[in-house]
Amino acid sequence: MDYRTVLVVCRENVYSSVAASACLNQSLMDHGFFGQIVAISRGIQGCRRTAWPRPDILMDYEPAWWLAEAAAKSVGIELPRHRSFPLTAEDVEHASLILGMDRAALYDLALSVNMQYPGQLAKLRLYAELADRECDIVDCLASGDLDEHYQFFEFIHRLAERYIDRLVDWARHPRILHPPRIPRLVLA
């Protein structure tokens, strides 16, 4: 069966993009789209001979792993035992939609998706744009605050659930969206 890929990108591919792709896949499954559309995650770190994140797996970050796992379970998500993968040309080419967790990883940094693959603008959106929000979703990997992890998962999970039809439409019919001017962060 032919399927479409939604590529979720962050800087390191250790926490936020992994969590968001898990939420999206759960929502796609719950709404009968899994197998037609699949979400995967990648990071821009490790591209163009830059160093990979170390450690490269969330389980090696304490206490972040325990906090993230608890927060994910609170919204019914099982976090995968995932190792960081850098973004590749094949990932970008195969993706029907590319969701960035923040503007820097998607548009602004030298290693951003847009800077590496400028011909793919029609595929690029911020994850928060699912809800017509123009904000970054900041990775809380370094946070030891359980409430921050809960808020992060509640937000990304809520977007995946409420706006699954929009995600499916974007994956099936990419349209150019010019990069918005966005504030640094607003989660709730």
Side-chain angles (χ1 to χ4, degrees), residues 14-99:
V14 173
Y15 188 84
S16 63
S17 61
V18 176
S21 65
C23 288
L24 290 173
N25 281 327
Q26 184 64 51
S27 187
L28 287 163
M29 191 176 321
D30 291 349
H31 295 273
F33 295 110
F34 196 77
Q36 299 170 43
I37 300 173
V38 177
I40 64 170
S41 66
R42 297 290 185 265
I44 60 171
Q45 190 170 333
C47 297
R48 295 190 178 170
R49 301 181 189 184
T50 58
W52 282 31
R54 293 288 180 243
D56 66 348
I57 186 168
L58 181 57
M59 292 172 58
D60 290 344
Y61 288 88
E62 291 188 22
W65 166 249
W66 307 109
L67 299 172
E69 188 175 44
K73 285 182 179 178
S74 76
V75 294
I77 300 298
E78 179 87 21
L79 279 178
R81 281 22 179 198
H82 168 88
R83 289 207 178 276
S84 177
F85 289 102
L87 183 67
T88 66
E90 183 179 325
D91 294 329
V92 173
E93 184 64 34
H94 188 258
S96 299
L97 173 65
I98 302 170
L99 295 176

Side-chain angles (χ1 to χ4, degrees), residues 15 64 67-68 71 140-141 143 145-153:
Y15 188 84
L67 299 172
C140 56
L141 177 65
S143 173
D145 183 350
L146 182 58
D147 285 338
E148 283 185 40
H149 291 269
Y150 277 117
Q151 289 173 3
F152 171 81
F153 270 94

